[in-house]
Amino acid sequence: MDVNAAVAAASAIAGVCTGAVATLAFRWSERDQKRPTRTSLHTDPALPPGVDTVLSVLRSSAVVLDEADSVVKASSAAYALGLVRGGKLAVEPMLQMARDTRRDGEIRQVELDLPRRGTGRGEALAVSARVAPLGSRLVLLLVEDLTEARRIEAVRRDFVANVSHELKTPVGALSLLSEAVMDASEDPEAVERFAGRMQIEATRLTSLVQELIDLSRVQNDDPLEDAEPVRVDELVAEAVDRCRQPAATKQITMAAGGTADVRVWGNRGQLAAALGNLVENAVNYSPARTRVGIAARRVTAPGGDLIEIAVTDQGIGISDKDKERIFERFYRVDPARSRATGGTGLGLAIVKHVAASHGGEVTVWSSEGQGSTFTLRLPEAAAPRSPHPNSPASGPGDVRDEDDADGPDRTTAYESIPAAPEVLP
């Protein structure tokens, strides 16, 4: 019995010790879980209530710094702009603003030009930074990207300057010519000569104002609101008729051909203006007794069939450096020639806007001294492709095979024109 009692007593003592050790281990574990670690201090800061929610809906890039200048909270836009790297604010002027605000509590704002990440071309990123205290130990930095706003302002400023310059030329000429008419009131021949010059300048001024109105309209209006299927051959006929007189004066042959009965979807007035500008430029910049061709064809594209309308001339051509800028407003390849032909520098800009607003594009092939080919590509309208009962399936001058999906080729563009084109009277 004594042995059994001793064993029981030993077992009881062992159980008590085990329970005591387990209790101590449990309490130690709880204390360890409640103790803040270095990671938890860095990733779970004590932001004032509601601040996290407000920062998540702001359009500006937001960064919250603590008293050690470490990033407590940063929006994804702040990382995208390169403001935060490695848990630190990477822009020294902003970091200094944050330190000054933490010291005196004053709100500060400044505009900065920052290097753009990943371009390697030294392009600046314009930002507006605002720093304010957030509680007793945190600082809030809000950064607004002003790059696009500055670009738009620069475009607007240049446009106003160019318009003023372009309007000044014909207005000044009219003023001088009117004085000349007054001084030569007793010379009928001089009056007639000056009056003719005044008429030319007045026509130029009217054309400039009209093209400004057209450019404003295509930029602001949605062409698809009044969209309809438009026959390409009707657009071509209208463009040819518009340039009939200047072409006849220079003895320029105008010929049209290509795939018959194709349609594009869009605003008829804008499409007619765009194609008319291309044909008018081809006539104006072509020497006398040459040929201008307009050809249309259907090409297959991944997003749906496209209609290509190519306008080819045998004019002066365009240099490589000018090709990149010819669709800019008021840009002219040859300013002296443009003044002689009455060009305003807005025609190709209008073509570009019309093509883009209709879901298409305009491209150019050119070689100096050999001429140019401007190609307008537009989505085909969903219309039956069967030819008219009284007309053949295609015109006498079919363009290139539809399998040829490459850009316009100089030779094939001319092959698309009928062999015996009509010479305009």
Side-chain angles (χ1 to χ4, degrees), residues 208-295:
L208 177 58
V209 172
Q210 183 59 49
E211 291 200 350
L212 286 172
I213 295 173
D214 293 341
L215 180 60
S216 176
R217 182 180 295 114
V218 300
Q219 285 180 319
N220 297 327
D221 295 347
D222 182 4
L224 301 184
E225 288 183 357
D226 301 322
E228 60 179 334
V230 181
R231 290 178 58 96
V232 173
D233 54 0
E234 294 178 358
L235 296 178
V236 172
E238 186 173 339
V240 170
D241 186 66
R242 167 179 168 179
C243 302
R244 186 180 299 273
Q245 181 59 39
T249 302
K250 299 174 68 174
Q251 299 181 5
I252 292 177
T253 301
M254 299 182 67
T259 305
D261 196 23
V262 291
R263 295 174 173 84
V264 293
W265 185 264
N267 183 291
R268 181 184 181 87
Q270 292 190 13
L271 293 174
L275 184 58
N277 286 344
L278 292 179
V279 177
E280 185 176 12
N281 277 357
V283 172
N284 288 339
Y285 288 90
S286 293
R289 293 179 294 279
T290 56
R291 182 168 68 167
V292 171
I294 308 99

Side-chain angles (χ1 to χ4, degrees), residues 48-328:
V51 172
D52 196 5
T53 304
V54 173
L55 296 183
S56 65
V57 299
L58 286 177
R59 297 181 60 184
S60 304
S61 303
V63 181
V64 179
L65 304 176
D66 61 12
E67 63 271 14
D69 292 334
S70 297
V71 176
V72 172
K73 180 74 176 179
S75 64
S76 58
Y79 286 98
L81 290 178
L83 304 179
V84 178
R85 300 175 189 173
K88 294 289 185 179
L89 187 61
V91 183
E92 184 60 32
M94 295 182 186
L95 187 59
Q96 186 59 47
M97 288 173 57
R99 292 169 180 168
D100 295 340
T101 297
R102 187 185 301 110
R103 184 181 64 252
D104 54 26
E106 292 185 4
I107 298 176
R108 290 175 168 80
Q109 184 170 353
V110 67
E111 292 188 2
L112 300 171
D113 291 332
L114 307 179
R116 191 186 296 269
R117 299 179 61 188
T119 60
R121 294 181 296 176
E123 295 180 354
L125 187 70
V127 298
S128 174
R130 185 178 179 87
V131 180
L134 186 64
S136 59
R137 67 183 188 88
L138 301 179
V139 173
L140 173 62
L141 171 67
L142 297 177
V143 180
E144 188 76 21
D145 188 356
L146 304 178
T147 307
E148 183 65 15
R150 285 193 179 181
R151 186 192 68 81
I152 293 175
E153 176 62 23
V155 171
R156 185 197 64 79
R157 186 169 55 249
D158 292 343
F159 180 73
V160 172
N162 287 329
V163 169
S164 302
H165 175 75
E166 294 297 330
L167 290 175
K168 179 181 178 181
T169 302
V171 170
L174 287 172
S175 177
L176 292 176
L177 288 170
S178 63
E179 294 179 3
V181 169
M182 294 178 63
D183 293 339
S185 57
E186 297 180 358
D187 187 351
E189 295 183 359
V191 170
E192 183 178 357
R193 183 172 67 254
F194 292 142
R197 290 291 305 277
M198 291 178 66
Q199 188 174 12
I200 293 174
E201 294 297 334
T203 302
R204 180 182 176 188
L205 182 60
T206 303
S207 300
L208 177 58
V209 172
Q210 183 59 49
E211 291 200 350
L212 286 172
I213 295 173
D214 293 341
L215 180 60
S216 176
R217 182 180 295 114
V218 300
Q219 285 180 319
N220 297 327
D221 295 347
D222 182 4
L224 301 184
E225 288 183 357
D226 301 322
E228 60 179 334
V230 181
R231 290 178 58 96
V232 173
D233 54 0
E234 294 178 358
L235 296 178
V236 172
E238 186 173 339
V240 170
D241 186 66
R242 167 179 168 179
C243 302
R244 186 180 299 273
Q245 181 59 39
T249 302
K250 299 174 68 174
Q251 299 181 5
I252 292 177
T253 301
M254 299 182 67
T259 305
D261 196 23
V262 291
R263 295 174 173 84
V264 293
W265 185 264
N267 183 291
R268 181 184 181 87
Q270 292 190 13
L271 293 174
L275 184 58
N277 286 344
L278 292 179
V279 177
E280 185 176 12
N281 277 357
V283 172
N284 288 339
Y285 288 90
S286 293
R289 293 179 294 279
T290 56
R291 182 168 68 167
V292 171
I294 308 99
R297 70 164 186 166
R298 180 189 297 114
V299 296
T300 302
D305 289 353
L306 298 176
I307 302 300
E308 284 189 353
I309 309 172
V311 179
T312 304
D313 64 63
Q314 297 173 313
I316 60 176
I318 305 170
S319 65
D320 292 337
K321 66 181 181 65
D322 290 323
K323 289 179 186 177
E324 300 179 356
R325 301 192 58 190
I326 56 174
F327 295 103
E328 296 179 9

